[in-house]
Amino acid sequence: QRDPFQEFFFGPGAGGREFKQYGAGSGSGVIVSSDGYIVTNNHVIEDASEIEVILNDNSKYTAKIIGTDPSTDIAVLKIEGGDFTPIAIGNSDNLKVGEWVLAVGNPFNLESTVTAGIISAKGRNINILEDDYSIESFIQTDAAVNSGNSGGALVNTNGDLIGINTAITSGTGGFVGYSFAVPSNVARKIFEDIIEFGNVQKGLLGVTGFGLNSKSANELNIDLTEGFYVNDIELEMGAARAGIKKGDVIISLDNMKIEKFSDLSGYLSTKRPGDKISVGIIRDYKNIKLKVTLEKNMA
């Protein structure tokens, strides 16, 4: 049996945001299936001409890129040659702020390093992804993450994968107390889409708008300071068909509280066209729930 956490080394031309030196770099990844599929970060492997995977027993494999999604910074790789032990994938929607977590990876090529911390926040948008259609709804932790951790596992105390470590915010380039991970529900959906469809299936609600705060609430003359304000509706899309209107405030999706835009975009990134979701809105001081069928982009 092979450990689900492994280390990558990249050939000439490899890089990404973290790995610019000497024409090569390293990162981390997680085995998610017994036949050798691996989930990591897109920014870790996006410029690689060759990818070598080293497992904890020092066995080496050449990996093939199966698919990538720059909008969530997730990539799927494949290695051949054995019966691998996949990690158990947890439900990141069930995470609570203050819950203990562990970050597993290979910082500075120190293989199989584990650091501990807590969930500091959920649904963070830090504007780090450079894709035009980026979706950021990161898990924030204070578990130490450094160069080489990217693509590695964030696990709960049961050892279940609840995130893919992706980024830090630092003025020095080193860990200063804040690290960010793609939620496991997003990573799982991207992985499944790439394997089943060959690309990412995006289920769209069909609304545009923004997250409320005290300033926008005052300008709109409404009492709410949380939620997603619907500024416009796309005709012939699910929201319009379900009866959502301009001026509605979305406060929940499938009973999950929506406080800001990243909550909404993060939850929708786990859904596909054709999925039906319950949308909770406030309209004229009334709580209303509507069933919406998500659809593909009509453009």
Side-chain angles (χ1 to χ4, degrees):
Q1 290 187 337
R2 316 289 177 65
D3 196 298
F5 313 114
Q6 71 283 312
E7 179 177 11
F8 300 148
F9 285 98
F10 308 109
R17 290 196 299 268
E18 295 184 347
F19 311 118
K20 293 294 187 184
Q21 53 188 348
Y22 310 118
S26 64
S28 305
V30 185
I31 296 175
V32 293
S33 73
S34 60
D35 54 350
Y37 283 103
I38 294 170
V39 171
T40 184
N41 282 143
N42 175 66
H43 82 260
V44 169
I45 56 86
E46 62 182 342
D47 296 323
S49 59
E50 182 179 335
I51 303 173
E52 183 178 78
V53 173
I54 304 175
L55 303 189
N56 283 356
D57 61 3
N58 293 321
S59 57
K60 297 181 181 181
Y61 299 84
T62 297
K64 176 183 177 182
I65 298 176
I66 302 301
T68 63
D69 181 36
S71 71
T72 55
D73 202 11
I74 292 294
V76 177
L77 311 179
K78 180 76 161 59
I79 56 176
E80 306 286 350
D83 183 18
F84 303 97
T85 302
I87 194 170
I89 302 179
N91 183 351
S92 53
D93 287 346
N94 292 337
L95 290 175
K96 305 294 184 184
V97 173
E99 181 177 340
W100 280 96
V101 291
L102 304 172
V104 184
N106 305 284
F108 308 116
N109 292 334
L110 300 171
E111 63 181 52
S112 301
T113 296
V114 180
T115 56
I118 61 169
I119 300 294
S120 305
K122 297 168 61 178
R124 285 293 197 215
N125 184 334
I126 57 174
N127 296 314
I128 196 171
L129 299 184
E130 297 174 354
D131 186 79
D132 290 340
Y133 303 98
S134 63
I135 299 171
E136 294 191 14
S137 187
F138 292 124
I139 299 165
Q140 179 184 328
T141 78
D142 62 357
V145 167
N146 283 289
S147 179
N149 272 112
S150 282
L154 186 70
V155 302
N156 60 20
T157 53
N158 293 325
D160 299 328
L161 180 74
I162 50 87
I164 299 294
N165 296 315
T166 298
I168 60 175
T169 56
S170 169
T172 65
F175 178 72
V176 293
Y178 305 100
S179 59
F180 302 89
V182 176
S184 61
N185 286 6
V186 175
R188 182 210 295 264
K189 190 262 183 183
I190 300 303
F191 165 73
E192 291 174 348
D193 280 359
I194 287 172
I195 299 306
E196 184 174 353
F197 303 105
N199 55 35
V200 179
Q201 305 289 298
K202 300 191 179 197
L204 303 179
L205 193 58
V207 300
T208 59
F210 48 86
L212 288 171
N213 54 36
S214 58
K215 180 180 178 181
S216 58
N218 184 60
E219 291 172 350
L220 293 166
N221 195 29
I222 57 178
D223 295 333
L224 297 170
T225 56
E226 293 181 334
F228 180 82
Y229 182 82
V230 178
N231 193 49
D232 201 6
I233 301 289
E234 296 184 38
L235 299 178
E236 306 303 321
M237 294 289 282
R241 291 192 178 101
I244 294 178
K245 300 178 180 179
K246 179 179 179 179
D248 289 344
V249 178
I250 297 174
I251 58 170
S252 68
L253 297 178
D254 289 337
N255 296 318
M256 180 177 174
K257 189 176 181 181
I258 301 300
E259 298 178 350
K260 50 192 179 298
F261 173 70
S262 58
D263 294 333
L264 183 136
S265 62
Y267 188 76
L268 291 178
S269 67
T270 68
K271 301 298 178 181
R272 298 184 177 91
D275 286 350
K276 293 180 172 59
I277 63 172
S278 173
V279 180
I281 64 171
I282 291 183
R283 179 188 299 163
D284 298 329
Y285 302 100
K286 295 179 182 178
N287 286 282
I288 301 170
K289 284 198 174 180
L290 300 169
K291 245 349 179 194
V292 178
T293 300
L294 302 180
E295 300 184 26
K296 293 182 179 179
N297 192 338
M298 303 300 289

